Amino acid sequence: MKIYDYNGKANIIGPQIKSIRKREKLSQDILAAKMQLNNIEISQKVISRIEKQERFVTDYELVAFSKVLGISIYELLGLEDNK
């Protein structure tokens, strides 16, 4: 059985990405550019869809978001620590 969404959402990190991006005063365009500098082909439109939880996020994108935003993967997943 393939899972295409969870409770109608395609990812769980979208709200955290949006919150951290705004806290760091980054536009979606700038975040997309930073991701591209890390060899992740992503556009502003894709960032928007991720933030709205309309697009899946791959494992390598998750790692890149963590690196670019300077936070742990656990924080992106909404977990306080690695438990």
Side-chain angles (χ1 to χ4, degrees), residues 12 32 36 62 67:
I12 61 173
Q36 291 168 14
L62 178 66
K67 180 179 174 184

Side-chain angles (χ1 to χ4, degrees), residues 40-57:
I40 305 296
E41 289 303 317
I42 202 165
S43 67
Q44 174 276 322
K45 185 179 258 185
V46 171
I47 298 288
S48 175
R49 291 190 63 227
I50 289 170
E51 288 183 352
K52 292 189 282 186
Q53 298 176 293
E54 296 174 346
R55 182 189 176 274
F56 288 99
V57 177

